[in-house]
Amino acid sequence: MTASDVKHAQPTADGSTIHDLGYRRYDGEREGARGAFRALFWQGFRAMFGIGRPFKTKAVPVFVSVATSLPALASVAASGATQGQLPITYANVIGAQVVLFLLFTAAQAPEMLCRDQQHRVLPLMFTRDVTRTRYAVARLLALFTAMLLVAVVPLLILYLGEIGVAKDPGATFAKMGGKIGPVVLFATLLAWVMSTVSAFLSSLTPRRAYATAAVIGTFLTAVVISQGLQDLAGMSEATTKMLDPVETLRTTAMQLFGETKRWMELTPPPSVWVHVAELFAIGVAATVGLVWRVRRVVI
């Protein structure tokens, strides 16, 4: 104990002593609920990419980012080498990467949502300006933003690459101005479905391995049900694919980018806006489930 401590000691009625150790009250700006929301969002966004954490937590984000960008770069290079004779097919390239996007959310969503339950930090969050609903929205927004960033990069590579390899980039850019809409819309739909479903399933358990298995298992179950109804019940391919979110995303990409496959000519699928509405509804249902779960989680 220093002389200063003795000097500021204050005896109490029962003979004990309170020493002034020099602690200062926080006198900075209090950001309130908005600041807490921003902090939750930013911390969650960083967690999605493993920023500030060990290298092993960055393995999946790096792998998915590279694995989804390389086919886009290869498609652009092939189109440039053939002077445009080999067209760039957005839906074929991005449709093949949907499983990788699923891997990203299945691996990273539990890192953000399950850890909060596992390490029992939710009581600390909910005692401040963070309500349960705000917590759920902040986490979901962080997950959605990260997924949107990962999904839009290969599409932008295809879009800018198609302009860059053209003989007249200026004229091609003017002609392709309307194509940026489908690029943004599809990336948003993909991020919306993947992030909401993964967030809801990850909120159900504090075990990250269980959450990852639940996310992958849910989408695989939809594939099995869709294929089983087509093979056993004789339902049309266009109808059964609507029961599978992954195939619905692929069909939506085909329709948005004006591409087609053989089965689409034999059994024309519903309008693209039917698929958009379905994907939006899936995300809304998962969001409601997430908020419901967070409001009832025991802390």
Side-chain angles (χ1 to χ4, degrees), residues 52-203:
R53 303 196 59 215
F55 176 77
K56 65 179 182 179
T57 62
K58 302 178 178 66
V60 172
V62 171
F63 168 74
V64 172
S65 299
V66 172
T68 54
S69 297
L70 286 179
L73 291 170
S75 180
V76 171
S79 180
T82 59
Q83 297 181 349
Q85 294 182 5
L86 185 63
I88 295 176
T89 55
Y90 291 70
N92 284 330
V93 173
I94 202 66
Q97 314 304 322
V98 173
V99 175
L100 291 174
F101 296 131
L102 173 60
L103 172 64
F104 175 75
T105 54
Q108 298 306 110
E111 285 289 329
M112 178 173 54
L113 288 159
C114 295
R115 288 174 65 88
D116 290 343
Q117 297 183 58
Q118 183 180 9
H119 297 298
R120 302 184 182 277
V121 298
L122 291 179
L124 299 176
M125 296 180 182
F126 295 155
T127 56
R128 308 303 301 171
D129 293 323
V130 180
T131 65
R132 291 176 180 248
T133 301
R134 285 177 179 171
Y135 166 84
V137 173
R139 289 309 201 197
L140 177 59
L141 185 59
L143 178 53
F144 171 78
T145 305
M147 187 67 252
L148 179 62
L149 179 62
V150 172
V152 80
V153 167
L155 287 168
L156 287 178
I157 291 174
L158 294 172
Y159 179 77
L160 297 176
E162 187 173 3
I163 296 174
V165 300
K167 295 181 180 180
D168 188 352
T172 303
F173 176 76
K175 182 180 178 181
M176 289 181 54
K179 212 167 192 176
I180 192 65
V183 166
V184 174
L185 177 58
F186 181 75
T188 302
L189 288 172
L190 190 151
W192 172 246
V193 172
M194 294 290 183
S195 61
T196 52
V197 174
S198 297
F200 168 60
L201 295 174
S202 297
S203 69

